[in-house]
Amino acid sequence: MNKVILMGRLTRDPEVRYSQSENAMAIARYTLAVDRRFSRNGDENTADFINCVAFGKAGEFAEKYFHKGIKVAVTGRIQTGSYTNKDGVKVYTTEVVVEEQEFAESKNNSSAGDGGFAGGSSRPQPADAGDGFMNIPDGIDEELPFN
């Protein structure tokens, strides 16, 4: 079985390209900084930097909603490969092919004290309606990933 589950923060905005086929497909690449639970010296926090690739709708979602510093949870599978670079050296690659991805914290938490990783959005923020639901500002409902 080849299954991986990760939670971490994006190290940079996703890099998105579209395939050159009749039905162009989004291909989003991003790197997650995933904290290690245990470090060798016990005092120092360490992280692994995991390359991820999302295809199709998942790639479009990453392009639209993911940005540097956001905390996400990803499930997928590990894929290895290799190629020969321009210097004739064989390069081996390992990446996670994303099957599912989702936000791992609320927008308020991600912009509040995460070391300057705030997402800086100029659009109006939903307001609490007092009944446990949020009011969505006019015009933003077309951008929601669910209808």
Side-chain angles (χ1 to χ4, degrees), residues 97-115:
V97 178
V98 174
E99 294 169 356
E100 296 177 35
Q101 58 191 2
E102 59 188 64
F103 302 107
E105 67 184 355
S106 71
K107 188 170 187 173
N108 291 340
N109 286 349
S110 68
S111 62
D114 61 355

Side-chain angles (χ1 to χ4, degrees), residues 17-27 56-57 60:
R17 296 186 179 163
Y18 285 83
S19 64
Q20 298 295 319
S21 63
E22 185 176 307
N23 299 325
M25 175 176 55
I27 303 167
K57 295 284 186 193
E60 292 171 15

